[in-house]
Amino acid sequence: MTPQTLLRHIDEGQLWSSEELASVPADVSQAYQTALQVRKLREARGEQPRGFKIGFTNRSIWKRYQVFEPIWGTIWSTTLTIASSQGEGTVDISRMCQPRLEPELVFGMRCTPPAELTVQSLFESIDWMASGFEIVQSHALDWRFKVADTVTDSGLHAHLLVGKQVPVKDVAANGGQLHEVLAGMSLELVHAGKVVERGLATNVLDSPLMALLHFMKALRQCPGAPDLKAGDVITTGTWTDAWPLVAGQTWESRYDSPLTSLKISCCSN
């Protein structure tokens, strides 16, 4: 598929045909180059990159989706929403393809991390963290794909809702302490008044900070990929499985302190 065809499927929320899916090369490095071409198309029409999503950091779901390594994709000005002061947000899912919901921890960057990537240098580069809901989508029927398909499909990113920002220096004094705090956290995912799943931060490559470290190394090894910069948001991967969405639903994630709860409503305009 050409970058233009991939972008059309994103815009229209339409599945890839079986022939289109079969045409995607299995080479992951090539898939990132295709995704970067789609990124250039979106920038050319006025969309602005706002950061990155990291996917498949939750090792507990690797076997289910037959993807055994993390991936990443771009977050856009058109796919980013900041929740209200009450910790609520509404997202239109009408043009999304097989959307699913993931509760995640989001980082906001204070600056570009230095060349030497460590837990401490990342801690010093992060401004805040927040609860988040990423809506992911797949243009492959029934979410059946190989890893290169997910990369080619813009990292499966559809939308990101970000909750209340908490300065990381209010949470920990250094990188090691932040990792320990995050690794001890859990959440409850609530739908229709019931807890449908409990998630652990350790599912995410041992902690969201470790997921960020892995991502930074992968990003800088990808030819042509832009670096992180001040103001970027990075969502670090789901703590639970990805749950199918339909319009009219409301979901809530209830995190341990210091993160606040976040509620998302799905509509179809």
Side-chain angles (χ1 to χ4, degrees):
M1 280 186 287
T2 66
Q4 291 80 6
T5 300
L6 291 165
L7 184 55
R8 177 173 54 81
H9 280 284
I10 292 171
D11 289 341
E12 298 177 357
Q14 298 299 316
L15 288 167
W16 296 342
S17 68
S18 57
E19 293 80 10
E20 288 172 328
L21 178 60
S23 73
V24 178
D27 182 77
V28 176
S29 60
Q30 184 176 347
Y32 277 113
Q33 294 308 305
T34 301
L36 289 173
Q37 292 178 52
V38 175
R39 177 184 167 112
K40 289 180 179 178
L41 291 176
R42 296 183 75 155
E43 288 182 289
R45 69 184 188 181
E47 293 183 81
Q48 300 173 358
R50 289 288 184 257
F52 296 91
K53 63 81 51 84
I54 319 172
F56 292 109
T57 53
N58 187 335
R59 290 171 294 205
S60 72
I61 64 174
W62 283 0
K63 185 175 181 180
R64 184 171 307 161
Y65 293 97
Q66 291 297 295
V67 172
F68 298 93
E69 61 185 272
I71 65 168
W72 55 268
T74 301
I75 294 171
W76 296 94
S77 54
T78 52
T79 66
L80 177 64
T81 299
I82 305 302
S84 69
S85 58
Q86 290 76 39
E88 301 177 358
T90 300
V91 177
D92 181 4
I93 65 171
S94 59
R95 290 190 176 273
M96 298 180 190
C97 192
Q98 306 179 112
R100 297 190 179 193
L101 188 69
E102 299 182 340
E104 310 191 2
L105 183 144
V106 182
F107 288 122
M109 302 307 298
R110 183 183 66 82
C111 63
T112 299
E116 183 180 355
L117 292 171
T118 65
V119 166
Q120 182 59 26
S121 69
L122 280 183
F123 172 77
E124 294 170 357
S125 303
I126 299 169
D127 185 11
W128 52 263
M129 64 185 198
S131 51
F133 272 127
E134 187 188 14
I135 301 178
V136 288
Q137 63 180 341
S138 173
H139 295 88
L141 181 62
D142 296 330
W143 282 71
R144 296 183 180 276
F145 39 57
K146 55 186 180 293
V147 62
D149 301 328
T150 69
V151 173
T152 302
D153 202 3
S154 295
L156 307 183
H157 175 69
H159 205 92
L160 177 65
L161 176 68
V162 180
K164 181 180 179 181
Q165 299 175 6
V166 179
V168 293
K169 291 187 177 179
D170 290 351
V171 177
N174 55 58
Q177 190 177 82
L178 180 61
H179 164 64
E180 291 180 3
V181 169
L182 296 180
M185 292 180 63
S186 62
L187 65 79
E188 294 180 333
L189 182 62
V190 180
H191 174 55
K194 297 181 180 180
V195 176
V196 297
E197 189 173 354
R198 291 178 171 84
L200 302 175
T202 51
N203 288 342
V204 183
L205 297 185
D206 300 326
S207 86
L209 187 60
M210 293 303 180
L212 181 62
L213 180 62
H214 174 93
F215 161 71
M216 280 301 311
K217 293 177 180 179
L219 183 70
R220 289 179 173 175
Q221 291 171 357
C222 179
D227 208 344
L228 284 188
K229 63 181 187 300
D232 278 352
V233 298
I234 316 296
T235 190
T236 53
T238 185
W239 297 18
T240 67
D241 198 358
W243 286 78
L245 287 180
V246 296
Q249 290 180 331
T250 296
W251 295 73
E252 183 179 7
S253 54
R254 299 172 181 170
Y255 290 81
D256 296 334
S257 178
L259 292 182
T260 58
S261 297
L262 185 62
K263 186 177 292 185
I264 187 170
S265 299
C266 302
C267 68
S268 180
N269 292 332

